[in-house]
Amino acid sequence: MDTGDHVRQDERSGYARSAARWMRAYPRRWRESRGEELLGVLLDLAPPGADRVDARTALDLVRSGSATRWRGRPPWPVWLRYRLVGWRMPTAYRGWARDDILGAGFWWRENVVALAIVLGFAMASWSAEGAGAPGWGYWAFCLGAFVTGAVYGSGYRQQQAMLKHVVLRAGDPVQPGAWVMQEVPRRRLRASSLLPWLAGSLLAAAVLLVTSVATAPKITHVLPTGPGSFETVVGPVGDRAPWLALVAAAAVLGGVLALVARRRLRTVGLEGPAQPRRRVVDLGRRRVASVLVTASWVVPLVWLETTGRLVLFLSVPLAMLVLVALPPVLVMTWTVRRERHDDLAARDVWTVAGHGRPPLPDGPEQRAVPLEVVGVAPWHARGTRPEDPPYPALS
């Protein structure tokens, strides 16, 4: 009997990767406890030369994984209270809540009520007598708002949800898979990972915003109509010199700040103290998406102003802010890349360039971790009474 050693020799083989993908049908907590065992069985039973799971095995994995997920779901009343009003999940279903919180698309599932309100308002206005369907602008704004909220709010909401639904509180029974609050090294973003994305986004935004200031056809004019009275009229921009002068002054100020930042970086240097309680991490896909989503909001604004659908207004202050920030960010990016500081945190670069002083050592931060990682009794698990729903005040 073939034992599958030909596949097991490389755990990262095509068959192992294919099996791991289909095993995602099982809940996260089940894969953490039994996933290695199931993967070993699949590798042992793999036919010689196979580089992917066959259709029958994949169907069996999906069917059994879906059944396992269904058996572990909380009852419908508990699920509705948890989903709609954020009621704390009972102890028996904390594992399911953890999988839900850490799973993809948690922000969208948590905001199902807000999504329903938006859709309900659109349908109500559509069906109202004499009212037409919501225009594309309404849907574009709603989509942009929800995407921005999902990108920016998902990480914070996941942390808060873990504190509320999963982390042990005083009086909670200790069960396998429990999580507690524990001091861990503070995470900081790597400068060589963050600064190039930030500089590129600011540069693109600066080009678009300056283009809008230079080409927008309409502006709001304030015309006096009498003693102590005036009216606003939308008309051609006319003389752009004042607006371009403001943008140029902002660019000059940004250049001055860049020179100051360069001098501070040379004088103070980037060699900071030892950071034993810090963990430097890369930007990651979610944070890259945050930078790109922020920069992408400039595109519809510039399009609306340059086509005359919106008067020239927001592009001027935004262009000034971007042009003030861009030169110092370019200097910091160039300095980090030139000196090859791969383990330097972006916060340290900003401390030196912005404040002119060396960075201070970081202290630890509190994060939710599995109890098995801590390895001690969770007497330090903090919170209010276990029966307090649904928004506990965590100490």
Side-chain angles (χ1 to χ4, degrees), residues 288-302:
V288 169
S290 301
V291 175
L292 295 179
V293 166
T294 303
S296 67
W297 275 101
V298 175
V299 176
L301 172 64
V302 171

Side-chain angles (χ1 to χ4, degrees), residues 145-156:
F146 277 108
V147 169
T148 303
V151 170
Y152 278 98
S154 58
Y156 173 78

